[in-house]
Amino acid sequence: MSDERDPAPYDALLLLSFGGPEGPDDVVPFLENVTRGRGIPTERLKEVGQHYFLFGGVSPINDQNRALLDALRKDFAEHALDLPVYWGNRNWAPYLLDTLREMVRDGRRRILTLATSAYASYSGCRQYRENLADALAALAAEGLEPPRVDKLRHFFNHPGFVRPMIDGVLASLADLPEDVRAGAHLAFTTHSIPTASADASGTVADHGDGGAYVRQHLDVARLIAGAVREATGVERPWELVYQSRSGAPHIPWLEPDICDHLEELHGSGAPAVVMVPIGFVSDHMEVLYDLDTEATAKAAELGLPVRRSATVGADPRFAAAVRELVLERAATERGLSVPRCALGSLGPSHDLCPVGCCPARSPKPAAAGADSPYA
């Protein structure tokens, strides 16, 4: 095997995702997993679960991860990359602990992890690392030797993530009525998080005024808006907006909300809008409900033509990007200097999350970082 296709020292890739219910009976138990330790009553969870019940109690995220698994395995096989791919979730089957136990029993000792979150934040990075640490501690308590687990760098500005989204925006613009297409605005959307969490996202050097979370999203938005301008010859107004807020009303979260933004655009005379969910890897529940259902209904109420562009999902270019990231990290671990693909102004992200990166409110052990207890 040539160095270009050598995954050593890694012997497996773990796809690590959020998880979601796959039937009506799963909804409340799933939400109990997500909110464990917060003391939220079951009746409130049933109210929150209405979004899932509208879709038969099924989140699309698990099927989307199965499609991504297939795409990764296909791409790896076509490029002679001999690296098995496993899948584990934080909040629903297949659970992370069960998958790691399976990997250990299969003899996997050096595992590279792809988290289905492209950007830096507590919930998008460190919480995954905390879950990994919890699972590794559980393996040790069972008498199994925990493997070493590393995490792929943030891929928000990798060409294989950005270019499919550019194509999605162009397709959505082409789908708008011709008389409003040229004046359409772009609304780049991502998950709202508490402003305090945003300010503390990324490395310590990144902290403050939205932190790495906002800066990374803005850089991707600029990339896509610029590419769309080059492809269409039209300079379009755009803004980064937020969706899916779920916290207490007295705690400041990132704004503006997408529905408020649509109202503002309508009031200012915008003829149409394309919503671009750059903060999400696939069309999971928060995309289907918050954009395709709630925001689209708001646009219809306003009489504002709107389209929602596609997420990356299992696009072959994204699968190829993951392969490139795997081989890049493997070569780096072997002491080689290799090119690191990144678009925009921020450059490639760090391989190893440093101490103080995306800190938790209450400190907890986190694997796959400079402060990992499982180095």
Side-chain angles (χ1 to χ4, degrees):
M1 178 179 292
S2 69
D3 283 346
E4 290 78 13
R5 297 176 183 176
D6 186 0
Y10 298 106
D11 53 22
L13 176 68
L14 168 64
L15 175 63
L16 177 56
S17 194
F18 193 81
E22 301 203 76
D25 293 340
D26 297 343
V27 172
V28 171
F30 162 73
L31 293 173
E32 288 173 341
N33 287 342
V34 174
T35 62
R36 181 168 287 116
R38 302 182 199 173
I40 299 176
T42 300
E43 289 308 310
R44 174 59 182 150
L45 294 179
K46 289 179 180 178
E47 292 175 18
V48 173
Q50 290 306 312
H51 295 180
Y52 292 96
F53 293 129
L54 287 173
F55 296 87
V58 178
S59 168
I61 193 170
N62 281 347
D63 277 346
Q64 289 161 5
N65 281 324
R66 292 182 184 103
L68 180 55
L69 279 173
D70 289 344
L72 291 172
R73 289 165 177 159
K74 180 175 185 290
D75 179 90
F76 287 10
E78 289 175 348
H79 292 85
L81 176 56
D82 184 15
L83 192 70
V85 186
Y86 295 74
W87 170 36
N89 288 326
R90 290 170 49 190
N91 299 297
W92 202 249
Y95 287 104
L96 171 60
L97 175 57
D98 295 336
T99 300
L100 282 175
R101 187 184 296 114
E102 176 189 0
M103 296 176 83
V104 169
R105 289 173 176 166
D106 286 348
R108 312 304 175 192
R109 300 303 311 153
R110 193 77 189 272
I111 297 168
L112 195 51
T113 302
L114 167 67
T116 54
S117 178
Y119 301 85
S121 69
Y122 171 74
S123 57
C125 184
R126 186 176 177 90
Q127 193 169 18
Y128 282 90
R129 294 176 49 223
E130 290 177 353
N131 295 146
L132 283 167
D134 288 343
L136 293 171
L139 292 179
E142 295 173 6
L144 297 173
E145 183 181 353
R148 174 166 169 178
V149 179
D150 292 328
K151 180 178 175 292
L152 287 174
R153 66 177 170 94
H154 300 300
F155 52 82
F156 64 93
N157 56 1
H158 194 286
F161 185 67
V162 175
R163 287 175 180 151
M165 292 191 289
I166 294 169
D167 289 348
V169 175
L170 293 172
S172 292
L173 286 168
D175 191 49
L176 282 168
E178 188 174 357
D179 60 332
V180 299
R181 189 179 304 150
H185 288 229
L186 305 179
F188 295 98
T189 76
T190 190
H191 204 302
S192 183
I193 61 175
T195 56
S197 179
D199 292 346
S201 60
T203 66
V204 172
D206 289 320
H207 291 179
D209 194 23
Y213 187 75
V214 171
R215 283 194 281 280
Q216 289 171 359
H217 281 87
L218 285 172
D219 211 44
V220 172
R222 290 188 195 100
L223 283 168
I224 295 174
V228 169
R229 180 185 65 247
E230 291 179 9
T232 63
V234 177
E235 181 78 45
R236 298 178 187 279
W238 64 268
E239 188 167 345
L240 177 64
V241 301
Y242 302 93
Q243 61 175 91
S244 312
R245 174 182 174 138
S246 59
H250 67 280
I251 298 175
W253 283 52
L254 293 174
E255 296 178 336
D257 176 77
I258 177 61
C259 289
D260 294 338
H261 184 60
L262 293 176
E263 288 189 345
E264 181 182 346
L265 289 180
H266 175 66
S268 67
V273 181
V274 173
M275 301 182 292
V276 191
I278 60 172
F280 305 93
V281 172
S282 65
D283 288 3
H284 55 62
M285 184 57 69
E286 286 167 320
V287 175
L288 292 187
Y289 182 80
D290 296 327
L291 295 182
D292 292 358
T293 304
E294 191 173 52
T296 300
K298 170 59 70 175
E301 173 190 319
L302 296 169
L304 178 65
V306 68
R307 297 292 186 272
R308 193 270 293 174
S309 67
T311 54
V312 173
D315 189 292
R317 289 169 291 184
F318 182 49
V322 174
R323 168 173 42 84
E324 291 173 9
L325 289 168
V326 166
L327 293 174
E328 168 200 295
R329 180 62 180 275
T332 300
E333 290 293 310
R334 298 196 304 273
L336 302 177
S337 179
V338 293
R340 297 165 64 85
C341 289
L343 301 174
S345 65
L346 298 181
S349 187
H350 49 263
D351 282 334
L352 196 66
C353 291
V355 176
C357 194
C358 302
R361 291 186 298 273
S362 301
K364 292 180 61 178
D371 54 353
S372 172
Y374 297 99

